[in-house]
Amino acid sequence: MSKTAGIVIIGNEVLSGKTQDTNSHFLCQELRALGVNMQRISVIPDEIELIGKEAASFSRQFDFVFTTGGVGPTHDDVTMAGIAHGFGLRVIRHPELERRLRERHGANINEARLRMAEVPEGAELVGEGSLYAPAVKLRNIYIFPGIPKVLQDRFQAIKERFRDTPFFLKVVYSK
């Protein structure tokens, strides 16, 4: 039995039509090639309680959960707080992420940028390698930003951890 996955797309901008989601298409293609059975995609607004409920529900239903969007320095980037809420956890400032942000921005660091170092308590960083900022993982949930290029880079750095028996498709023609 292949591993299962669900994707939670988070963002009012997707629901309003201002931004077109390409992340779910990318993840579905990549995960299928790795042998993972994608089972559900949900698109939800930037609401802490709803993000928490959806993340916790998907976490119980699927082997892997991927969230995209709501990770950044602006007021509506509440994915980390939402996921923490869904598991009854605090949001903390991850020391390694904070170090990297301070190193990158130097004297230009501010509280808004430091928000990008906030993660649910107990979260781990995955795919560190050469990435400026690795992906964040809590339990079986992989938390990605919504910017397609950033998501793709971070996913490529960790994709082998999802490899399972790949799907094969054959077409048979008969007369």
Side-chain angles (χ1 to χ4, degrees):
M1 190 69 128
S2 61
K3 299 284 187 182
T4 61
I7 300 172
V8 181
I9 306 295
I10 301 161
N12 295 337
E13 62 278 4
V14 175
L15 292 167
S16 70
K18 290 180 187 173
T19 300
Q20 183 176 6
D21 166 50
T22 58
N23 292 330
S24 60
H25 178 74
F26 168 80
L27 287 170
C28 287
Q29 284 185 314
E30 290 289 320
L31 290 165
R32 181 172 177 83
L34 293 167
V36 178
N37 182 12
M38 182 57 58
Q39 301 221 322
R40 185 174 309 149
I41 300 170
S42 176
V43 183
I44 61 173
D46 298 301
E47 295 175 13
I48 290 174
E49 253 186 63
L50 185 55
I51 293 166
K53 285 179 185 175
E54 199 78 345
S57 174
F58 271 50
S59 179
R60 288 188 301 273
Q61 295 175 64
F62 309 115
D63 296 307
F64 305 118
V65 179
F66 301 90
T67 70
T68 74
V71 178
T74 62
H75 71 283
D76 63 341
D77 290 320
V78 295
T79 295
M80 296 295 186
I83 292 172
H85 177 77
F87 291 96
L89 301 170
R90 294 181 310 133
V91 173
I92 62 161
R93 192 171 280 174
H94 194 287
E96 177 61 16
L97 288 176
E98 181 178 0
R99 182 191 69 74
R100 289 175 186 224
L101 286 166
R102 288 185 184 282
E103 191 175 275
R104 181 174 184 150
H105 295 288
N108 294 324
I109 195 70
N110 58 35
E111 281 304 310
R113 286 185 172 139
L114 285 171
R115 285 191 66 213
M116 295 192 307
E118 294 178 353
V119 300
E121 189 172 33
E124 61 182 287
L125 305 181
V126 292
E128 294 193 48
S130 62
L131 291 174
Y132 149 66
V136 174
K137 176 184 181 250
L138 180 71
R139 301 179 185 190
N140 63 336
I141 302 173
Y142 295 82
I143 307 165
F144 291 98
I147 299 167
K149 173 73 171 120
V150 177
L151 175 138
Q152 291 168 18
D153 289 347
R154 290 183 188 176
F155 183 83
Q156 293 300 330
I158 65 170
K159 76 181 199 176
E160 286 307 315
R161 68 178 42 223
F162 310 112
R163 187 168 297 282
D164 204 355
T165 305
F167 295 104
F168 292 99
L169 179 64
K170 291 187 178 194
V171 178
V172 177
Y173 297 96
S174 65
K175 289 186 177 186

